[in-house]
Amino acid sequence: MKRIIRMAVAAAILLTISASEGIADGYKLRTSVSGAFKYGLPNEHSTWERMYGAEGVIQVPLSEIIAAGLVFGYESWDFNKQIELKAGGYQNVHDTVRGLPIGLSLRVTPKLDIPIQFTFEGGVRELFLDSEYKLSDGLIGVLGLDAAYPLDIPALKLSQDKFALFAGLGYQFDLDQPSFDTTIEGMGTDDKVSLESIFFRVGLRYHFEYTW
C-alpha cells in the first residue's frame, strides 16, 4: 500500500509538471493512450512456463521528447514448481497466477527524420498477484523499446497524426520478489520467486490534444 501511495504522489507531481508545460504552450497538451497485447518468456523456467496479457498506457508530455506514462494491465502466468514436502519427497504444483500491474514510466521519443518513431521506456510496476496458493505481491522494474508507424487509412477514418501501430520488446527485473507460501496440507515452504522476463508487445496508439 505504501508503494502505491508513493506512486500516486509521483503521478501527481508529473501531472503538475505536464500542466505547467501545457500552460507555457498555450494551455494545449498533446497526449496519447495506447493498448497492447503482451507475451513474455520468464527467466525462471523451473517456476514459470509463459506469461501473456494486455497493457494500457496513458501518456502525458513533460517536454518535446520526454513523457510520463501511467501504466495498468492484466497478466496471466503459468506456474509450475516442484516443492519439498515436510514429510519428505517432492510434489509438482501447477497453477495459473493472475497479475494486475500498476505503475509509472518515463518514455523518451527522439525526434528523427523518418516515419518510424522509437520510444525508450524505463519504469516501475507494482504487481498484484492472485493465486490458489498464497503468493505475495511483487515490485518490478521495466526497460523497453517500441517502434511505432503512423497509420493513414482514410477508409477506416484513421489519420497518421492520430493513430500509430507499434511493436516492441523489453525486459522486466525484480525489485522486490513475491514470496510463495503453499496451503497444501503437508507442505511448508516460504520461497521467493523471480518475475524476471523478456517480453514482446504489439498494439495501437491514439494521439489527441486537450486544453486546460
Side-chain angles (χ1 to χ4, degrees):
M1 180 59 70
K2 290 182 179 179
R3 290 198 293 241
I4 291 296
I5 293 174
R6 286 196 289 266
M7 281 193 281
V9 171
I13 293 172
L14 291 174
L15 286 173
T16 301
I17 295 173
S18 177
S20 300
E21 184 73 17
I23 291 172
D25 291 340
Y27 300 91
K28 287 186 178 181
L29 286 175
R30 179 173 171 81
T31 187
S32 68
V33 294
S34 62
F37 294 103
K38 187 176 178 182
Y39 182 82
L41 300 173
N43 288 1
E44 197 171 275
H45 304 293
S46 62
T47 300
W48 308 106
E49 295 180 356
R50 69 185 67 84
M51 178 270 286
Y52 56 90
E55 181 180 81
V57 180
I58 302 173
Q59 180 173 295
V60 292
L62 302 178
S63 71
E64 289 188 3
I65 66 170
I66 301 175
L70 173 63
V71 186
F72 52 92
Y74 172 82
E75 295 180 358
S76 178
W77 297 67
D78 288 341
F79 180 82
N80 182 17
K81 187 175 178 66
Q82 190 177 69
I83 296 179
E84 186 175 0
L85 300 174
K86 283 182 177 180
Y90 296 86
Q91 178 172 329
N92 286 327
V93 175
H94 300 275
D95 191 18
T96 297
V97 178
R98 293 161 294 278
L100 297 176
I102 299 176
L104 296 172
S105 284
L106 281 179
R107 305 163 68 85
V108 179
T109 305
K111 286 191 171 182
L112 303 174
D113 292 329
I114 56 176
I116 298 177
Q117 287 188 331
F118 293 97
T119 299
F120 300 89
E121 176 189 15
V124 63
R125 311 277 191 273
E126 176 83 7
L127 190 55
F128 298 96
L129 299 172
D130 179 39
S131 169
E132 179 182 349
Y133 311 104
K134 294 179 180 178
L135 191 61
S136 63
D137 301 330
L139 185 68
I140 57 175
V142 174
L143 297 174
L145 171 63
D146 291 335
Y149 189 81
L151 292 179
D152 192 7
I153 309 176
L156 299 178
K157 296 182 180 181
L158 299 180
S159 60
Q160 62 181 3
D161 62 329
K162 290 186 178 295
F163 290 93
L165 179 68
F166 69 91
L169 54 84
Y171 183 75
Q172 67 181 45
F173 52 92
D174 296 307
L175 296 176
D176 186 9
Q177 292 183 345
S179 177
F180 175 84
D181 183 12
T182 183
T183 58
I184 296 179
E185 185 179 355
M187 294 185 180
T189 63
D190 187 13
D191 299 330
K192 288 185 176 296
V193 293
S194 174
L195 296 174
E196 289 189 1
S197 174
I198 297 172
F199 63 82
F200 306 90
R201 59 192 174 196
V202 60
L204 188 67
R205 184 172 298 138
Y206 174 68
H207 298 275
F208 63 95
E209 287 187 349
Y210 65 92
T211 303
W212 286 85

